[in-house]
Amino acid sequence: MWRWKCLAHKLAFIGFGVVGQGLAEILRDKKQSLKQNEGFEAEIVAISDLMKGSIYHPGGLDIDTVLQVVQETGSLENYPETPGLIRGWDSIRTIRETNADTVVEVSYTDVKTGQPAIDHCKAAFEKGKNVVMTNKGPVALAYQELSQLAQKHHVQWGFEGTVMSGTPALRMPAATLAGNDITEIRGILNGTTNYILTKMEQEGVSYEAALKEAQELGYAEADPVSDVEGYDARYKIVIISNHVMNAPLSVGEVECQGITGITLNDIEKAKAEGKSWKLIAKAKKENGKVIASIAPEKLDAADPLASIGGAVNAITYQCDLLGTVTLSGAGAGKIETGFSLLIDLISIHRQRQLVSI
């Protein structure tokens, strides 16, 4: 008899931007506590980034050196030469030919097509490798296909960070609400829009002024369309529907309306009624299927989502046995999203701890 926990996890990073570096920092800073408390050890053996370059060493890369080189020079090409070091492999070759057992997929991905991350997942699964990721596109657009492929090859697929960053919107219901029939899920799944609406309500500023401040603080992109028109939240409710409610749902089936039409006058009228405007993502079981939508709603003060302010995310599960359960927390951030990848890795590790005969 033997246990997988005796083996260090070998990781290949596909992409090494803010989130990838966040995970690398966590693995470095918490190395001893993870080993002591979880029996978890990991070593980064490969990194392939379209802009920063690619390095691979089967014996492992030095995390401190990798982070220092990238943060000081922006390029993995400046990682020092080491016997056995291989440079220049593209993402697919890195996935297929390195000795990594788990792929950390954090590449820049087109959310409309899910590529190249969908192909990265397929390549990993077909080689018997696990994948953890934060890219929404592949999960929202190809959930059924990729889930079946992972099952076929007996590997794990972790994507906690695709919905609420490190806040366990997917893991919590699976682990702690088992046995309940979850009939409806409602959530504030986009921190940018929630920040804008909170700013308008609390400070009486216009939508345009609130958006500008959100951009200055880094909550909103220079092109904020994905956030303010509700597209980001639409991808997330599709992921939740497929994974938590076990209900196949495509992005095109979700009605979507953003917050660009909400005026300061609308905000003030709602306040006079004791209500708050929120962009609500909703998935509800109706007649044997799930109906989902993204739209602004005026919420009564008693609604658990009404008091969620700023860039915070929150989600409410309506359960037949437990009633209403609400979870709130960070929906973005370098370390928070890095943590979402870590918890997926720990979950894979715990599966490995099962005794094999």
Side-chain angles (χ1 to χ4, degrees):
M1 297 175 64
W2 51 280
R3 293 179 183 270
W4 274 101
K5 67 180 180 180
C6 298
L7 299 177
H9 295 252
K10 296 182 182 296
L11 309 179
F13 280 56
I14 305 302
F16 202 63
V18 171
V19 175
Q21 292 174 47
L23 174 60
E25 290 173 4
I26 292 172
L27 293 174
R28 177 195 63 190
D29 298 342
K30 287 190 169 288
K31 180 177 180 179
Q32 293 305 317
S33 63
L34 288 170
K35 182 177 180 179
Q36 179 178 343
N37 299 327
E38 290 288 340
F40 174 83
E41 294 183 79
E43 57 185 18
I44 301 172
V45 298
I47 303 171
S48 180
D49 185 282
L50 190 61
M51 302 301 294
K52 299 178 179 67
S54 174
I55 52 176
Y56 164 50
H57 196 295
L61 303 168
D62 183 83
I63 296 181
D64 277 322
T65 303
V66 166
L67 289 168
Q68 181 180 353
V69 165
V70 168
Q71 290 166 7
E72 290 181 357
T73 73
S75 175
L76 291 167
E77 298 304 316
N78 295 305
Y79 187 86
E81 283 295 337
T82 307
L85 185 72
I86 298 173
R87 300 181 186 271
W89 286 7
D90 64 18
S91 59
I92 295 296
R93 189 173 183 186
T94 298
I95 291 168
R96 289 175 174 165
E97 298 187 29
T98 62
N99 64 343
D101 51 64
T102 298
V103 172
V104 179
E105 211 297 327
V106 284
S107 68
Y108 177 78
T109 292
D110 185 343
V111 74
K112 295 180 181 179
T113 65
Q115 295 292 10
I118 289 177
D119 286 345
H120 292 160
C121 289
K122 290 180 178 179
F125 296 157
E126 288 166 356
K127 294 296 290 186
K129 300 183 179 186
N130 310 300
V131 174
V132 298
M133 67 191 315
T134 58
N135 281 320
K136 294 184 291 292
V139 192
L141 298 174
Y143 179 84
Q144 299 299 328
E145 179 186 9
L146 293 177
S147 293
Q148 292 169 12
L149 191 61
Q151 292 173 10
K152 176 182 177 181
H153 292 280
H154 308 290
V155 293
Q156 301 293 313
W157 183 29
F159 44 85
E160 181 64 68
T162 59
V163 174
M164 282 174 57
S165 185
T167 304
L170 302 177
R171 193 175 308 281
M172 190 276 282
T176 63
L177 298 181
N180 282 276
D181 180 19
I182 299 177
T183 57
E184 183 177 9
I185 296 175
R186 299 167 61 248
I188 297 170
L189 302 181
N190 182 271
T192 300
T193 53
N194 204 50
Y195 178 86
I196 291 170
L197 294 174
T198 301
K199 196 78 175 176
M200 293 173 70
E201 179 180 331
Q202 294 183 352
E203 299 184 17
V205 302
S206 67
Y207 165 81
E208 291 77 13
L211 171 59
K212 182 179 179 181
E213 183 166 333
Q215 290 171 319
E216 291 172 349
L217 292 172
Y219 295 141
E221 301 288 344
D223 181 359
V225 169
S226 179
D227 293 323
V228 300
E229 295 292 354
Y231 305 148
D232 174 70
R234 179 166 61 177
Y235 277 86
K236 292 174 179 179
I237 201 65
V238 168
I239 293 170
I240 292 168
S241 175
N242 278 274
H243 188 69
V244 176
M245 304 181 89
N246 197 29
L249 184 72
S250 68
V251 172
E253 294 177 279
V254 181
E255 295 183 6
C256 188
Q257 178 185 346
I259 67 167
T260 54
I262 295 181
T263 65
L264 190 54
N265 187 48
D266 295 326
I267 296 287
E268 293 301 327
K269 285 183 178 179
K271 285 177 67 175
E273 299 169 4
K275 297 180 179 181
S276 297
W277 280 101
K278 301 292 180 183
L279 183 66
I280 299 298
K282 182 188 300 182
K284 185 176 182 179
K285 290 181 179 178
E286 294 182 7
N287 301 319
K289 63 180 297 186
V290 168
I291 306 298
S293 63
I294 309 295
E297 293 185 19
K298 286 193 297 184
L299 303 184
D300 293 324
D303 191 303
L305 297 178
S307 62
I308 304 300
V312 175
N313 285 186
I315 191 164
T316 293
Y317 309 90
Q318 188 62 44
C319 309
D320 64 336
L321 301 178
L322 198 56
T324 301
V325 178
T326 300
L327 173 70
S328 66
K334 176 182 181 180
I335 296 301
E336 293 86 349
T337 310
F339 168 74
S340 75
L341 293 164
L342 175 66
I343 197 62
D344 282 335
L345 291 172
I346 290 174
S347 177
I348 292 170
H349 168 69
R350 288 174 176 171
Q351 291 293 319
R352 284 181 164 188
Q353 285 185 306
L354 297 174
V355 176
S356 294
I357 300 176

